[in-house]
């Protein structure tokens, strides 16, 4: 799976929101650091978090077991399976929020916003 990623801090900095239709188009038109925006491949049997780490990125995490939500991402396009979830309420998973520590890409391409622990609703989950 080929993943296009964007750091949630960029949304904060530019006043963008997760619901913006043209989020990734906007990100592609400005000069962002490779830490904040880019693409990488996820190999079979890698979780999204493991793939990010194996490609040299330091994405947030803590428990690696589906219990803390530090690793949360927002799936904008594509599908990320989430076999283990002990923390995200249904209304958040219905909005496309997933845990990257055990999340496996299910589509050829995906667009995800990572570093979602700074999302106000996730702050309330006691990270
Ligand atoms: Fe804790 Fe993913 S690292 S839920």
């Amino acid at each position: 799976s080929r993943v296009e990623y964007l750091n949630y801090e960029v949304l904060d900095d530019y006043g963008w929101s997760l619901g913006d239709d043209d989020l990734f188009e906007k990100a592609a038109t400005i000069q962002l650091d490779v830490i904040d925006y880019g693409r990488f491949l996820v190999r079979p049997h890698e979780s999204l978090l493991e793939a990010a780490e194996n490609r040299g990125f330091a994405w947030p995490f803590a428990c690696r077991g589906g219990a803390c939500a530090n690793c949360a991402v927002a799936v904008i396009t594509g599908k990320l399976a989430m076999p283990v979830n002990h923390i995200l309420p249904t209304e958040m998973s219905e909005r496309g929020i997933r845990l990257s520590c055990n999340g496996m890409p299910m589509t050829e391409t995906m667009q995800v916003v990572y570093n979602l622990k700074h999302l106000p609703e996730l702050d309330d989950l006691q990270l």
Side-chain angles (χ1 to χ4, degrees):
S1 181
R2 176 175 291 272
V3 173
E4 187 177 5
Y5 61 89
L6 179 61
N7 189 343
Y8 184 74
E9 283 180 6
V10 174
L11 277 65
D12 247 3
D13 290 349
Y14 285 84
W16 301 343
S17 103
L18 283 175
D20 293 352
D21 289 341
D22 55 349
L23 197 53
F24 279 78
E25 285 84 346
K26 287 189 290 200
T29 58
I30 55 175
Q31 285 296 324
L32 288 170
D33 194 281
V34 70
I35 288 180
D36 294 325
Y37 171 74
R39 289 181 179 80
F40 59 76
L41 287 173
V42 182
R43 301 209 172 106
H45 310 300
E46 280 179 331
S47 73
L48 181 58
L49 176 64
E50 287 164 351
E53 291 172 335
N54 291 340
R55 308 293 99 75
F57 299 103
W59 285 14
F61 71 92
C63 73
R64 290 183 182 273
C68 74
N70 275 286
C71 68
V73 299
V75 175
I76 306 298
T77 60
K79 194 163 186 280
L80 190 70
M82 185 172 57
V84 184
N85 171 29
H86 303 295
I87 179 88
L88 287 181
T90 313
E91 65 263 25
M92 299 199 87
S93 48
E94 278 170 357
R95 288 171 53 200
I97 295 173
R98 293 282 180 278
L99 303 173
S100 66
C101 64
N102 67 85
M104 297 291 200
M106 304 295 284
T107 47
E108 265 313 294
T109 60
M110 293 194 67
Q111 290 177 315
V112 301
V113 176
Y114 80 97
N115 211 6
L116 223 58
K117 62 180 188 160
H118 299 297
L119 186 75
E121 298 94 300
L122 278 176
D123 269 351
D124 301 340
L125 289 180
Q126 180 71 35
L127 299 180

